[in-house]
Amino acid sequence: MARILLVEDNEMNRDMLSRRLARRGHEVEMAVDGPEGVVKAAAGGYDLVLMDMSLPEIDGWEATRQIRAAESGTPVPIIALTAHAMAGDREKALEAGCNDYDTKPVDLDRLLGKIQALLGAAQ
Amino acid sequence: MSAPRRRPARKAAPAPRPNGHADHREGALLRLTTAIAAARDEGAIYRSMVEGLHDEAIGYNFLGVFLLDPATGDRVLQASVGWDRIPHGMRVHPGEGLSERALQDGRLHYAPDVRRADHYVPSLASGSEVDVPLQADGETIGVLVVESAEPDAFGEKDFEILSAAANQAAIAIGRMRLLAAERRRADEQKALLDTMADLSGELELPKVLQAVLARAVTLLGVTGGEVAIFDEARQELVVVASEHIGKTSTGTRLALGEGAMGTVAQSLEPLIIPSYREWLGRSGKYADIQVHSVMAAPLLIGRRLVGAIATVHADPSRVFGAEDLRLLNLFAPQAAIAIENARLFTAERDRAGEQKALLETLADLSGELELPKVLQAVLSRAVTLLGVTGGEVAIFDEARQELVVVASEQIGKDSTGTRLKPGEGAMGAVALTLQPLIIPSYEEWLGRSGKYADVQVHSVMVAPLLIGGRLVGAIALLHSDPARVFGADDLRRLNLFAPQAAIAIENAQLYTSAQRERQYFRAVVEHSPVAIVTLDLEGVIVSCNPAFERLFGYRLEEAVGRNLDALINTRATLAEAQAYTAQAGQQTARGIGRRQRKDGSLLDVELAGVPVIVDGERVGILALYHDVTDLLSARRDAEEANSAKSRFLASMSHELRTPLNAIIGYSELIEEEARDLGADALAPDVLKVRTAGKHLLSLINDILDLSKIEAGRMELHLETFELRAVLDEVLTTAEPLARKNGNRLEIRCPEPAGTLRADLVKLRQMLLNLLSNACKFTRDGAVTLTVERAVEEGREWVRFQVADTGIGMTAEQMGRLFEAFAQAEASTASRYGGTGLGLAITRRLCQLMGGDVAVASEAGQGSTFTIRLPAEVHPPAAAAAQH
């Protein structure tokens, strides 16, 4: 069981994904845009961040960079979520400081696998 | 430099590169050729050559022609330009100068830097020199020396121009020497003729013989007498002088053995007939004259009969005795010598006449190119010279393999236009044998043609007209006088004309075919809807056709002399246009570009340029322009529309996916929650929602993929990976699909499979697409994935073959298989599922990676899909650049 911060601006996606993750036993906190995500992540206490990349104001890449810049202790694992399954997105996400990358629409089992892998590595 | 102490007249002259425009240069070369051809003596040829090459359009600065003096081996300067201080007639001795080499081996020599050349006599401080041998009749007679003050000033093109000029000069010299020899012979003949004419008072045969006869009659105290000459051709005596025999007997002809003179002509012994009236051998031709006794003697040169002399007594009291015979024998040799001299004179005069006719023919041939006129002239002269009734000349029509009569003279009808097959008639006969033919009696000749049934022909002589061994025509001469026949001498004389006529035909036909070709091409160019313009090698317009005038708005006279690229380009397109022109100077150039009309408006053109090559030499460029403004704007519109469509689809798909994600996600959530709440009755409906949503999602994903590819926005993520790992992964994914329809799934792959550099994700997508199709359309069968590597077209390729034992397809179904939304039948989609876009995407992804996909199938026999990819896929741009 993990504490997960879900940064997602689309209300339906946020609601659906958080509920499905919760059903699998995770504790999900939510942020509705980049700045909120950065603030909450900086406050700490999360095992993992799910970061939507296309956010208003500051996008997911920028938010990730800011989170990484503000971090002092062990870096929190961040999984980038993007609807643009374009070549280069993965590299761009990893470059910004994400640990992994998954495409939307979310295939829950696949995402859970990636979450599990990162949490397992962290432990 | 081949001459010592020579200094250039011009200091620091520019390098002798051809510096004029190509049409000016062509003009200059034409003038040079014409001047050489028109030169009246050898000196004029040499002057024409150096002056012509010096023409500023050709641009050689230092030129000289040296001729070999066979007596000393010196080279003697005949003409020069640029070497004003070098005297005409200057001699270069053996062992001096560079030009000797060309003289020795008959080849062109080039010294790119004279300072490094042996034997160079330094007259220019530096520079380069070309030495071109001049040859006539296969012998090197001299050298054309061309110099520049610049080193490396000459190139292949210069060698061609200079060799061509030397060749033309050589031909002209050869012709001139031949003509000079002919002229000399003719001049000699003419001198002889004139001398003889002066002596004609004494030499004119009948007068001489009359005088001889008169003296003999007086001396012998006889009544009268006659002298006859022997006509060798007809073997008859002809009386040419007659004195007091009671009638004018000149012109009387006597056969050998006929009458008194005929008798002595046969016996070659003198004869005295005491009583002519009782003599049995008397000729009826003298029945009406008073003759009592006759004395006759043959006229002999050695033992050869040339005539006969006879004296008569009308007085019955007078008889001839031995003393009379002795006296007659004093006169006979005089008469004989006079006859022989006259014969020789006539023969000489005839020969001189022949030479003159030949010369006139030669002059005609150079002056006239109109074939029928030339041939008519040749024929007229042959008819006159040979003293025949008439004749014909025919040319050989090679296309129809027939002789066509084109000149006809005095044969009793106009036979021009008559066609004769080889073997038909006299001319047809020589066309087969290629040998001259004499037909003594044409009426009896079996080979005669019905086409000449209405012509009075007694005898015929025909010669083939040949160029090398090739038949170009035939010439025939005929006698309608039964008394005349053809002999060896006639044939000899006919053979003087035959080659001239043959050459005339050959020249004229070459000229005519060239002219016809020119007319044909001119007509094509004039009426072509495509704008055609010809340029010189510098890109200057030489001519253009009406379509060009219409397309660009420039009239011919405005366009000629202007640089084409400068004329029809804007600043934006000039460089690109010049690149095309440069390319077209070497090889075919094609392209599409934008050009500007005279009125400033722009148009899109498809253009093609090709080098114009004459006799192996590039002389200019032919450029074609085709207006594609409408076509291009239509295409741009279509591309724009297509691109807009792709963009619309891409954004639509993206916008559609967001709510669809929610639909699928929530339906999964509901499924799970319904299970938790025990509301299992809801499960089938929710499953339908989720399944329909997923299908819609895959449709949208496929459309997005396709539109990305079509918009050129599908990027390749190339990486090098182990083939085996991908295959295993794909197999694992496809296994459940195979099992669902009871299919066996097999893989055949060499070990080790090696690596592939490609877009891994897209390869996986393509293979899964083919495998899932195979599994879908096959029930209780086998699906086999075979992987092979092969080297083709110089690269390594990997082939993925997916074969199934399923329902297969008809040829018709296969036709549209790889097109979007073309699942073989509309019903198939509903029966077997799928979006119908998979194969279209697979094909486009293959092509994007430089490969392709193909299918082989038969209805009921299963299908085999084969993907072929380069083992090293290059990014599309780089792949395009390789081709």
Side-chain angles (χ1 to χ4, degrees):
Chain A
M1 297 313 104
R3 257 172 72 81
I4 295 174
L5 174 62
L6 172 62
V7 188
E8 166 68 81
D9 66 318
N10 183 290
E11 195 191 337
M12 270 204 287
N13 283 344
R14 201 167 59 224
D15 174 60
M16 179 184 67
L17 190 55
S18 62
R19 282 169 60 189
R20 296 184 74 188
L21 288 170
R23 287 184 55 78
R24 302 300 173 107
H26 296 293
E27 189 181 331
V28 184
E29 282 264 342
M30 283 171 285
V32 300
D33 56 25
E36 192 188 348
V38 173
V39 170
K40 289 197 166 167
Y46 300 107
D47 299 315
L48 186 131
V49 178
L50 290 174
M51 177 75 73
D52 182 29
M53 288 287 120
S54 44
L55 297 170
E57 295 188 51
I58 62 170
D59 63 22
W61 292 284
E62 181 54 30
T64 303
R65 271 190 288 274
Q66 290 188 12
I67 290 170
R68 289 289 180 240
E71 265 174 345
S72 50
T74 316
V76 61
I78 303 177
I79 296 177
L81 296 177
T82 173
H84 303 281
M86 300 290 278
D89 280 2
R90 182 187 160 85
E91 283 75 8
K92 251 171 94 183
L94 297 182
E95 219 168 82
C98 296
N99 301 70
D100 205 347
Y101 161 97
D102 204 356
T103 53
K104 296 206 286 188
V106 167
D107 179 326
L108 193 64
D109 290 333
R110 190 176 64 201
L111 181 61
L112 287 171
K114 291 187 176 186
I115 291 172
Q116 213 48 58
L118 282 174
L119 291 180
Q123 281 159 7
Chain B
M1 177 76 96
S2 48
R5 296 174 303 282
R6 203 162 61 197
R7 290 292 180 273
R10 298 178 185 187
K11 282 177 197 167
R17 307 301 305 174
N19 55 8
H21 293 315
D23 59 330
H24 298 154
R25 194 163 64 242
E26 287 306 304
L29 287 173
L30 189 64
R31 282 198 298 282
L32 169 66
T33 307
T34 313
I36 288 176
R40 298 203 145 266
D41 55 56
E42 285 189 34
I45 292 178
Y46 306 133
R47 283 193 300 281
S48 305
M49 188 159 46
V50 296
E51 279 160 18
L53 288 168
H54 183 61
D55 186 298
E56 66 178 313
I58 306 180
Y60 299 106
N61 289 326
F62 309 105
L63 297 124
V65 172
F66 290 85
L67 277 201
L68 177 69
D69 175 358
T72 60
D74 291 349
R75 274 148 284 154
V76 186
L77 185 63
Q78 304 293 316
S80 66
V81 167
W83 296 336
D84 296 356
R85 292 190 199 169
I86 306 298
H88 181 78
M90 187 205 69
R91 286 179 173 265
V92 184
H93 305 299
E96 292 178 346
L98 298 180
S99 64
E100 190 163 36
R101 293 176 304 172
L103 205 59
Q104 283 163 346
D105 63 7
R107 291 162 179 232
L108 181 144
H109 284 269
Y110 176 40
D113 185 350
V114 291
R115 287 177 302 183
R116 295 192 190 165
D118 293 336
H119 302 297
Y120 179 68
V121 184
S123 59
L124 297 177
S126 60
S128 41
E129 172 171 329
V130 181
D131 299 293
V132 189
L134 291 174
Q135 284 160 328
D137 296 332
E139 267 179 59
T140 305
I141 59 163
V143 196
L144 167 66
V145 179
V146 188
E147 269 193 289
S148 165
E150 306 288 328
D152 292 315
F154 299 93
E156 219 30 70
K157 180 146 181 76
D158 300 296
F159 303 155
E160 280 172 27
I161 290 177
L162 294 172
S163 297
N167 276 341
Q168 281 159 1
I171 291 167
I173 292 164
R175 201 175 53 213
M176 197 155 284
R177 290 184 174 184
L178 191 72
L179 210 62
E182 286 297 335
R183 228 176 242 145
R184 209 160 39 241
R185 245 194 319 271
D187 286 348
E188 285 165 12
Q189 296 294 341
K190 188 163 178 299
L192 185 62
L193 196 64
D194 290 346
T195 314
M196 287 177 169
D198 287 346
L199 297 173
S200 64
E202 290 136 82
L203 276 173
E204 215 177 320
L205 190 58
K207 277 190 193 165
V208 174
L209 295 180
Q210 195 69 47
V212 170
L213 179 61
R215 253 175 281 144
V217 166
T218 309
L219 192 72
L220 274 82
V222 295
T223 311
E226 284 183 325
V227 177
I229 60 173
F230 182 59
D231 177 345
E232 223 169 309
R234 297 178 56 178
Q235 296 286 300
E236 284 175 350
L237 290 167
V238 187
V239 177
V240 293
S242 162
E243 182 97 356
H244 302 302
I245 64 156
K247 71 166 195 173
T248 307
S249 60
T250 54
T252 305
R253 288 183 166 268
L254 297 165
L256 293 178
E258 181 182 2
M261 287 197 292
T263 302
V264 300
Q266 199 165 41
S267 66
L268 304 184
E269 296 292 336
L271 170 70
I272 290 175
I273 305 167
S275 176
Y276 186 73
R277 242 168 302 166
E278 290 163 25
W279 186 53
L280 293 174
R282 69 184 184 273
S283 162
K285 288 168 186 161
Y286 292 88
D288 52 347
I289 61 164
Q290 274 301 108
V291 177
H292 177 64
S293 57
V294 176
M295 173 172 65
L299 301 176
L300 300 168
I301 293 290
R303 289 292 292 165
R304 185 163 55 84
L305 181 76
V306 298
I309 184 167
T311 53
V312 299
H313 281 304
D315 181 354
S317 63
R318 303 282 304 275
V319 288
F320 289 105
E323 178 58 16
D324 294 314
L325 200 55
R326 192 188 61 79
L327 283 173
L328 183 62
N329 276 341
L330 286 180
F331 290 97
Q334 282 181 34
I337 287 165
I339 291 170
E340 179 65 4
N341 281 348
R343 194 185 63 78
L344 287 173
F345 166 75
T346 310
E348 283 304 329
R349 191 178 51 191
D350 284 355
R351 205 159 284 152
E354 283 168 16
Q355 295 292 343
K356 190 157 162 285
L358 195 58
L359 267 189
E360 283 169 8
T361 310
L362 283 174
D364 256 15
L365 294 180
S366 49
E368 288 251 21
L369 273 170
E370 216 177 317
L371 188 58
K373 274 191 199 167
V374 176
L375 294 179
Q376 194 68 47
V378 171
L379 179 62
S380 294
R381 240 172 260 129
V383 165
T384 308
L385 188 78
L386 274 81
V388 296
T389 311
E392 285 183 323
V393 176
I395 60 177
F396 186 58
D397 178 344
E398 230 169 289
R400 295 177 54 177
Q401 293 287 305
E402 286 175 350
L403 288 165
V404 188
V405 176
V406 291
S408 157
E409 179 101 356
Q410 303 289 329
I411 64 158
K413 69 166 191 175
D414 181 9
S415 60
T416 56
T418 305
R419 287 183 166 266
L420 297 165
K421 294 262 174 231
E424 181 181 2
M427 289 201 289
V430 303
L432 280 186
T433 62
L434 304 186
Q435 296 293 332
L437 172 68
I438 291 178
I439 304 167
S441 177
Y442 187 73
E443 287 98 332
E444 290 164 24
W445 186 55
L446 294 175
R448 68 184 182 273
S449 163
K451 290 169 186 162
Y452 291 88
D454 50 347
V455 180
Q456 267 308 104
V457 183
H458 175 61
S459 55
V460 177
M461 172 169 65
V462 196
L465 302 177
L466 302 170
I467 291 289
R470 183 166 53 85
L471 184 76
V472 297
I475 183 168
L477 296 177
L478 61 92
H479 282 306
S480 46
D481 179 358
R484 306 282 305 274
V485 288
F486 288 106
D489 196 50
D490 294 310
L491 199 55
R492 179 186 69 77
R493 290 194 285 180
L494 180 60
N495 278 338
L496 292 177
F497 289 94
Q500 309 308 324
I503 289 167
I505 291 171
E506 181 74 355
N507 281 348
Q509 283 180 342
L510 289 175
Y511 177 77
T512 314
S513 71
Q515 202 177 35
R516 199 171 292 161
E517 223 157 83
R518 242 191 334 268
Q519 279 169 357
Y520 172 77
F521 283 114
R522 192 174 303 145
V524 168
V525 167
E526 280 297 299
H527 298 113
S528 169
V530 175
I532 301 175
V533 57
T534 52
L535 311 177
D536 65 17
L537 288 171
E538 274 73 37
V540 173
I541 298 173
V542 177
S543 75
C544 66
N545 70 344
F548 181 90
E549 296 178 307
R550 284 194 298 275
L551 186 60
F552 290 101
Y554 292 99
R555 290 194 315 280
L556 174 69
E557 55 273 24
E558 292 175 291
V560 168
R562 309 268 303 263
N563 182 287
L564 174 71
D565 291 331
L567 190 65
I568 61 169
N569 279 285
T570 58
R571 201 172 303 171
T573 59
L574 185 60
E576 161 231 310
Q578 285 169 338
Y580 279 128
T581 304
Q583 192 194 339
Q586 308 298 319
Q587 64 191 72
T588 304
R590 285 173 182 285
I592 287 179
R594 183 158 280 193
R595 297 291 179 268
Q596 191 172 35
R597 291 195 184 86
K598 188 184 177 188
D599 65 11
S601 61
L602 296 174
L603 70 159
D604 292 304
V605 289
E606 183 184 3
L607 59 93
V610 289
V612 178
I613 295 171
V614 176
D615 289 338
E617 187 192 348
R618 284 194 301 274
V619 297
I621 295 166
L622 179 77
L624 311 176
Y625 291 89
H626 181 216
D627 185 358
V628 293
T629 309
D630 293 344
L631 204 67
L632 270 199
S633 90
R635 196 167 85 182
R636 272 191 206 114
D637 288 351
E639 279 170 358
E640 180 53 38
N642 195 42
S643 161
K645 182 198 77 181
S646 296
R647 281 198 305 276
F648 171 74
L649 281 176
S651 71
M652 267 290 282
S653 309
H654 181 62
E655 294 306 317
L656 286 171
R657 280 210 297 192
T658 309
L660 199 51
N661 288 339
I663 292 172
I664 294 168
Y666 277 109
S667 60
E668 284 174 4
L669 196 60
I670 293 168
E671 265 187 284
E672 291 169 12
E673 291 191 339
R675 243 192 333 268
D676 291 352
L677 296 171
D680 288 343
L682 285 176
D685 288 347
V686 178
L687 179 65
K688 279 174 197 157
V689 172
R690 184 161 65 96
T691 308
K694 281 204 158 166
H695 182 67
L696 186 55
L697 181 63
S698 57
L699 254 178
I700 290 168
N701 282 338
D702 283 355
I703 291 173
L704 184 60
D705 273 356
L706 262 184
S707 57
K708 265 197 258 176
I709 294 170
E710 282 183 5
R713 290 190 301 173
M714 177 63 88
E715 290 173 31
L716 289 181
H717 180 70
L718 296 178
E719 53 190 312
T720 304
F721 49 84
E722 285 293 333
L723 206 46
R724 184 75 225 188
V726 184
L727 297 175
D728 288 342
E729 190 186 336
V730 167
L731 222 55
T732 310
T733 314
E735 189 61 46
L737 294 171
R739 243 192 337 263
K740 202 167 128 195
N741 277 352
N743 293 317
R744 268 180 297 113
L745 187 56
E746 285 175 26
I747 181 161
R748 291 180 197 154
C749 177
E751 286 301 339
T755 60
L756 181 64
R757 180 168 177 76
D759 187 316
L760 173 60
V761 175
K762 295 190 175 69
L763 175 64
R764 197 189 293 142
Q765 183 182 348
M766 295 188 300
L767 290 177
L768 272 177
N769 175 262
L770 293 188
L771 286 170
S772 67
N773 280 350
C775 293
K776 209 152 50 181
F777 294 105
T778 307
R779 196 162 283 279
D780 302 323
V783 172
T784 315
L785 170 61
T786 309
V787 182
E788 289 166 343
R789 305 182 79 102
V791 175
E792 283 163 33
E793 300 153 32
R795 331 173 43 179
E796 195 187 6
W797 297 82
V798 180
R799 215 181 352 248
F800 303 89
Q801 203 166 63
V802 176
D804 65 51
T805 57
I807 59 172
M809 282 169 288
T810 63
E812 200 186 359
Q813 286 171 326
M814 278 190 284
R816 287 167 52 81
L817 195 61
F818 293 103
E819 288 171 34
F821 300 107
Q823 211 171 42
E825 279 169 43
S827 60
T828 326
S830 52
R831 223 165 98 203
Y832 294 96
T835 61
L837 294 176
L839 285 174
I841 292 171
T842 297
R843 183 173 72 156
R844 285 175 210 197
L845 289 178
C846 277
Q847 290 169 343
L848 203 59
M849 287 194 256
D852 209 345
V853 58
V855 63
S857 180
E858 231 175 278
Q861 301 294 310
S863 307
T864 302
F865 286 82
T866 308
I867 289 176
R868 182 170 169 265
L869 289 180
E872 285 262 344
V873 172
H874 298 282
Q882 281 185 339
H883 295 289

